[in-house]
């Protein structure tokens, strides 16, 4: 049995006076096929007025690090991220968050 995941980073960020909230969580977990780098990442941007996720970055096999950009309507649509670490994935997520909250997408 795997040992419990250790939270190494968890953050909530408000945008547009609370209209959007971003949640970022990084867990340190045992290395295994589904998470070959030993980290589980979840970054989600939520439209709080509609109570729906509008952007998600996560990682798992067989996709690796990827972004869901068509939420909530097409949950299966993914864009593979060409990154080497969860830090790089978070940076890309934050760049996309800025575009979404400023209505640039």
């Amino acid at each position: 049995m795997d040992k419990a995941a250790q939270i190494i980073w968890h953050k909530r960020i408000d945008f547009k006076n609370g209209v959007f909230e971003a949640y970022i969580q990084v867990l340190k977990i045992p290395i295994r096929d589904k998470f070959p780098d030993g980290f589980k990442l979840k970054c989600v941007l939520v439209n709080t007025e509609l109570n729906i996720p509008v952007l998600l970055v996560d990682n798992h096999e067989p996709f690796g690090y990827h972004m869901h950009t068509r939420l909530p309507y097409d949950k299966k649509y993914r864009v593979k991220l060409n990154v080497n670490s969860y830090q790089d994935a978070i940076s890309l997520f934050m760049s996309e968050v800025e575009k979404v909250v400023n209505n640039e997408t």
Side-chain angles (χ1 to χ4, degrees):
M1 177 158 189
D2 292 338
K3 70 179 193 178
Q6 176 185 2
I7 297 174
I8 59 172
W9 199 43
H10 183 81
K11 186 169 184 127
R12 183 179 71 80
I13 308 164
D14 286 334
F15 294 92
K16 297 283 186 176
N17 295 320
V19 173
F20 291 96
E21 291 182 347
Y23 299 90
I24 301 170
Q25 184 177 51
V26 181
L27 301 176
K28 177 73 176 142
I29 59 174
I31 293 173
R32 57 184 189 251
D33 289 345
K34 192 170 182 179
F35 302 101
D37 65 353
F39 294 99
K40 182 177 181 182
L41 174 68
K42 182 177 181 183
C43 303
V44 62
L45 179 66
V46 176
N47 178 318
T48 60
E49 293 180 335
L50 301 174
N51 196 31
I52 58 171
V54 293
L55 185 66
L56 170 69
V57 169
D58 62 342
N59 68 311
H60 54 80
E61 291 303 320
F63 306 106
Y65 288 96
H66 59 279
M67 187 177 302
H68 299 260
T69 59
R70 295 183 181 170
L71 296 176
Y73 309 106
D74 188 354
K75 296 176 184 178
K76 292 184 179 185
Y77 181 80
R78 296 173 176 91
V79 176
K80 180 156 177 47
L81 301 180
N82 188 20
V83 297
N84 296 316
S85 68
Y86 73 84
Q87 296 97 331
D88 293 342
I90 291 171
S91 292
L92 280 173
F93 171 73
M94 293 306 296
S95 294
E96 289 301 309
V97 163
E98 290 296 326
K99 292 176 189 175
V100 171
V101 300
N102 292 314
N103 205 20
E104 297 173 6
T105 58

